[in-house]
Amino acid sequence: MSSQVSLCGIGKVFRGTGQEVVALEDISLEVNAGEVLMLVGPSGCGKSTLLNVIAGLESADTGDVLLDGKPIHGPGPDRAVVFQDGALFPWLTVRKNVEFGLRQLGVGEKERTQRASAFLERVGLGGFQDRNIHELSGGMRQRVAIARALVTNPKVILMDEPFSALDALTREDLYDQMQELWRLSSTTVIFVTHNVREAVVLGDRIVLMTPRPGRIQRVYEVGILPPRQIDDVDVARLAKRISMDLKFGIGVDDAAVAR
């Protein structure tokens, strides 16, 4: 499978008044087309900064981000971002929110309506097209945000802790829906989370980052057939392995994980 997103020696430094913070250092990684790649690591390790660099919302100080072999120099319709709070427009209906990106791309009204309706059906919100955003639960709002990201058929979807503010039952329901959506879609997904079990349930590979400055500590192949559930034995075992590496560093023996 060919690489779709290539990170080549990415470094990022934030400069303030007389102070420098090295957020990312020498990040190199190949992300395959159609892959769901999860980024995990301690708070402040640069996960969201790396996502913003791929989105074109931040520029790297060193290195390059390539999409299909071409450098990224800013935001573009080939990448869609789903934020933690959904970032929906409260003055627009559910359908109008999903249509927004299509309108920006110049898609005609009839096609916009058809495509928005189809993707709302996919995320289980077919009966909510004309609702206002304030009428929806947190989980429903995130599904609207996901439909809005998917409807423009981007090459890459970038997700920044989209489920972290939701209750456990809502998250688990969304895990089932996301696995089905990824199965039906060829879109590449890069997903930031602090929840290791979430990463194992949803991801094909998991990248563990070091404390600041953020570097790649280890990459894990999930290798568990979907659909996966949060309480599956294999999910729990791999999540424990990653959590112990996160807490204690690489090198914890397998016997410790089994206990």
Side-chain angles (χ1 to χ4, degrees), residues 4-241:
Q4 184 156 35
V5 178
S6 298
L7 307 178
C8 310
I10 298 298
K12 178 68 179 177
V13 179
F14 291 104
R15 295 175 174 87
T17 52
Q19 188 178 12
E20 288 190 350
V21 175
V22 181
L24 299 171
E25 189 171 82
D26 194 25
I27 299 284
S28 295
L29 183 68
E30 302 291 328
V31 185
N32 297 320
E35 180 176 23
V36 180
L37 184 86
M38 312 297 288
L39 300 176
V40 301
S43 296
C45 73
K47 301 184 296 294
S48 294
T49 299
L50 183 57
L51 204 75
N52 287 338
V53 169
I54 299 169
L57 301 174
E58 299 264 9
S59 58
D61 292 300
T62 60
D64 295 294
V65 182
L66 307 178
L67 178 58
D68 290 334
K70 299 177 181 178
I72 288 172
H73 295 301
D78 48 14
R79 284 151 290 139
V81 185
V82 179
F83 296 100
Q84 182 176 339
D85 63 358
L88 300 173
F89 302 116
W91 58 90
L92 297 179
T93 64
V94 166
R95 180 171 57 81
K96 293 294 185 183
N97 264 281
V98 176
E99 286 183 9
F100 183 81
L102 296 174
R103 182 187 290 271
Q104 299 300 107
L105 293 173
V107 177
E109 182 177 359
K110 183 177 180 181
E111 185 179 349
R112 287 201 312 268
T113 300
Q114 290 174 343
R115 286 169 66 174
S117 297
F119 275 91
L120 284 168
E121 288 286 349
R122 279 198 198 182
V123 299
L125 292 176
F128 294 85
Q129 298 186 45
D130 298 320
R131 296 288 186 91
N132 295 311
I133 297 302
H134 72 266
E135 298 179 87
L136 305 183
S137 68
M140 293 167 76
R141 292 181 191 186
Q142 284 302 78
R143 282 187 275 169
V144 174
I146 291 162
R148 184 176 65 182
L150 286 167
V151 75
T152 59
N153 194 29
K155 292 181 179 179
V156 181
I157 293 181
L158 305 163
M159 307 184 78
D160 192 2
E161 301 199 46
F163 306 147
S164 62
L166 305 178
D167 64 86
L169 289 176
T170 301
R171 284 200 307 270
E172 289 181 30
D173 181 52
L174 283 168
Y175 295 162
D176 292 339
Q177 286 196 318
M178 290 305 97
Q179 289 180 82
E180 180 65 10
L181 281 172
W182 305 153
R183 188 184 68 80
L184 296 171
S185 171
S186 59
T187 306
T188 303
V189 180
I190 303 175
F191 190 121
V192 167
T193 181
H194 65 272
N195 185 321
V196 175
R197 282 216 189 187
E198 177 173 276
V200 177
V201 169
L202 295 178
D204 296 316
R205 283 192 300 161
I206 300 168
V207 174
L208 175 61
M209 295 178 65
T210 65
R212 192 169 60 223
R215 304 183 189 93
I216 294 176
Q217 181 170 335
R218 178 175 280 183
V219 180
Y220 305 82
E221 296 280 351
V222 174
I224 304 169
L225 290 176
R228 305 173 198 138
Q229 300 296 323
I230 199 79
D231 55 356
D232 287 347
V233 172
D234 290 338
V235 167
R237 183 178 293 114
L238 180 55
K240 186 174 182 181
R241 164 90 267 175

